[in-house]
């Protein structure tokens, strides 16, 4: 690697590269080269930019495990030749992909920044240019010959976030993402303000990148609501081959104390299902046992999701199942922060 950073741009699709189909009036993906031609400013950046693109760019609503693996392998294959990676991705499922990649890329020591936009790059009022240009600038930041960012991040509307802490909060505003339980890592104003104390550093120095491509999708998600029936709960819990259920509970991890409810969960856990308690609140943490209404969940061995997002909980569950973590260890490992995705204790 020379002194000018090499950045690999990976185009997966999303609004950023879409145009309007005038027959149907719907937005559809278009050519990546045209997208690049719309940003002559890229030539002014002090880094070398190369690009790879998905064969068929997708709307991120079509995101799936195969595409996650494709992204992870692209990074693996190009890891030694590049100093940083910027992934252009639709905003709808960007937080899920950022969380998944954070687990799939173990011992990452270079930046992987996902970004996109609310308006296509060709639109007069587009947010795409700032998002893309600043993402590349941040990916190219070096200090004493090493990348400043060494984790999977998401950049949107003047803020760089830890990817597995984010969630999409708005389909209209340019500020489409939030990281309710972890502060931004970089804020872009007149200068780039880097929050060094918040940056993730691998605890095991010198380890080389290990890419995990086994993600097990036998996971489920259920959000509690007043009036939830036993039928619905049982139907979800007895889904064939279900191994992990992420349960979105109320407030600080609270749920009904009705006997039928607790017993149904307890039976499923006895049969080997792992149930993770995450809050359906936008921010804050599960505190098991804080209220009477979460004490019973703790007693029947629900897994404490602490302040993890639903997106990261699903990705972490898929990753741990794929890694073959034993049933006996699953709870302990899930409750341990692996990539800065949850509070330490
Ligand atoms: N539907 C688009 C996508 O996620 C929205 C966007 O890119 O912002 O691909």
């Amino acid at each position: 690697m020379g002194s000018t950073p090499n950045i690999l741009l990976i185009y997966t699709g999303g609004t950023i590269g879409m145009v309007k189909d005038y027959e149907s009036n719907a937005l559809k993906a278009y050519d990546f080269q045209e997208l690049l031609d719309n940003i002559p400013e890229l030539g002014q950046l002090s880094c070398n930019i190369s690009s790879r693109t998905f064969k068929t760019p997708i709307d991120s609503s079509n995101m799936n495990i195969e595409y996650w693996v494709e992204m992870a392998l692209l990074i693996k294959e190009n890891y030694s030749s590049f100093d940083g990676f910027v992934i252009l991705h639709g905003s709808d499922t960007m937080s899920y992909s950022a969380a998944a990649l954070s687990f799939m890329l173990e011992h990452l020591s270079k930046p992987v920044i996902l970004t996109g936009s609310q308006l296509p790059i060709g639109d007069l009022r587009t947010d795409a240019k700032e998002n893309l240009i600043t993402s590349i600038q941040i990916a190219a930041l070096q200090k004493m010959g090493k990348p400043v960012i060494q984790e999977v991040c998401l950049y949107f509307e003047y803020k760089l976030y830890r990817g597995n802490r984010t969630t999409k909060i708005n389909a209209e505003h340019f500020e489409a993402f939030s990281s309710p339980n972890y502060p931004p890592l970089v804020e872009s104003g007149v200068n780039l303000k880097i929050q060094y104390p918040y940056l993730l550093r691998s605890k095991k120095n010198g380890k080389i990148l290990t890419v995990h491509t086994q993600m097990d999708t036998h996971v489920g998600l259920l959000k509690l609501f007043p009036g939830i029936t036993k039928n619905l709960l049982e139907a979800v819990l007895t889904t064939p081959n279900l191994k992990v259920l992420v349960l979105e509970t109320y407030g600080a991890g609270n749920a009904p104390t009705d006997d039928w409810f607790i017993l149904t969960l307890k039976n499923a856990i006895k049969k080997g299902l792992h149930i993770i308690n995450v809050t359906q609140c936008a921010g804050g943490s599960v505190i098991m046992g804080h209220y009477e209404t979460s004490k019973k969940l703790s007693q029947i061995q629900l897994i404490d999701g602490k302040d993890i997002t639903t997106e990261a909980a699903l990705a972490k569950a898929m990753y741990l199942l794929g890694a073959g973590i034993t049933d006996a260890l699953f709870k302990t490992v899930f409750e341990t922060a692996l990539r800065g995705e949850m509070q330490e204790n």
Side-chain angles (χ1 to χ4, degrees):
M1 275 176 281
S3 52
T4 308
N6 296 320
I7 302 300
L8 183 65
L9 203 54
I10 300 173
Y11 176 54
T12 71
T15 300
I16 193 162
M18 288 184 178
V19 275
K20 201 168 242 172
D21 179 330
Y22 285 100
E23 269 171 28
S24 65
N25 222 15
L27 285 173
K28 60 171 198 196
Y30 83 135
D31 186 62
F32 182 58
Q33 196 48 50
E34 276 188 59
L35 184 152
L36 292 182
D37 293 346
N38 264 287
I39 333 172
E41 294 91 335
L42 289 181
Q44 292 171 33
L45 293 171
S46 29
C47 55
N48 306 313
I49 303 171
S50 305
S51 61
R52 303 282 186 277
T53 168
F54 272 12
K55 216 173 185 175
T56 311
I58 57 161
D59 184 299
S60 78
S61 301
N62 287 318
M63 187 47 64
N64 61 31
I65 309 304
E66 284 75 39
Y67 290 127
W68 285 348
V69 170
E70 191 172 337
M71 284 185 257
L73 290 180
L74 267 173
I75 290 167
K76 181 182 178 180
E77 284 152 20
N78 292 285
Y79 198 66
S80 55
S81 324
F82 290 89
D83 301 284
F85 302 84
V86 173
I87 301 180
L88 297 177
H89 191 295
S91 63
D92 288 347
T93 59
M94 198 187 291
S95 290
Y96 292 90
S97 294
L101 287 172
S102 76
F103 295 110
M104 295 167 87
L105 305 173
E106 191 178 8
H107 307 307
L108 186 68
S109 58
K110 296 182 180 184
V112 173
I113 301 178
L114 286 89
T115 193
S117 63
Q118 292 282 56
L119 284 175
I121 200 123
D123 195 289
L124 256 190
R125 295 176 49 251
T126 192
D127 51 332
K129 286 191 185 184
E130 199 285 320
N131 285 348
L132 176 56
I133 289 169
T134 309
S135 293
I136 295 174
Q137 278 186 325
I138 294 174
L141 287 175
Q142 305 253 329
K143 205 178 175 190
M144 310 224 279
K146 292 213 166 96
V148 169
I149 304 297
Q150 303 185 9
E151 57 185 294
V152 178
C153 295
L154 186 156
Y155 183 83
F156 228 86
E157 192 63 2
Y158 303 110
K159 290 194 183 104
L160 183 82
Y161 305 104
R162 175 165 301 157
N164 57 28
R165 290 293 197 146
T166 61
T167 190
K168 185 170 180 185
I169 49 155
N170 205 301
E172 159 78 17
H173 295 165
F174 286 141
E175 192 164 352
F177 289 88
S178 136
S179 169
N181 290 330
Y182 201 78
L185 307 179
V186 178
E187 287 185 66
S188 166
V190 173
N191 296 300
L192 291 177
K193 204 164 149 203
I194 304 164
Q195 302 293 352
Y196 284 96
Y198 300 138
L199 303 181
L200 190 71
R201 287 292 179 261
S202 176
K203 286 181 190 133
K204 296 183 183 138
N205 265 336
K207 289 254 181 176
I208 51 164
L209 178 75
T210 309
V211 178
H212 302 270
T213 54
Q214 300 298 323
M215 297 291 272
D216 185 333
T217 52
H218 293 107
V219 300
L221 171 63
L222 178 65
K223 180 174 186 159
L224 289 186
F225 56 93
I228 190 167
T229 61
K230 193 173 177 206
N231 272 351
L232 178 78
L233 187 65
E234 273 177 352
V236 173
L237 293 178
T238 55
T239 304
N241 301 321
L242 186 69
K243 297 178 189 164
V244 174
L245 179 74
V246 175
L247 186 67
E248 279 196 359
T249 56
Y250 306 124
N254 307 315
T257 47
D258 299 307
D259 287 346
W260 68 263
F261 182 81
I262 299 295
L263 209 68
T264 311
L265 294 185
K266 192 177 171 183
N267 286 339
I269 293 170
K270 241 192 213 155
K271 285 186 191 142
L273 184 70
H274 301 289
I275 305 182
I276 300 160
N277 187 1
V278 303
T279 175
Q280 54 184 251
C281 291
S285 179
V286 161
I287 312 171
M288 301 255 271
H290 189 54
Y291 288 93
E292 193 61 41
T293 42
S294 67
K295 232 184 185 124
K296 288 188 179 170
L297 300 180
S298 176
Q299 282 160 359
I300 61 169
Q301 294 294 298
L302 246 73
I303 296 170
D304 188 349
K306 303 180 187 179
D307 62 348
I308 200 167
T309 60
T310 295
E311 292 89 332
L314 286 164
K316 189 172 183 177
M318 290 185 202
Y319 163 68
L320 294 183
L321 289 174
I325 298 293
T326 61
D327 283 346
L329 279 178
F330 192 90
K331 184 174 188 295
T332 311
V333 180
F334 193 94
E335 290 175 352
T336 307
L338 301 179
R339 310 278 194 275
E341 75 284 2
M342 55 164 52
Q343 67 200 36
E344 294 278 336
N345 284 308

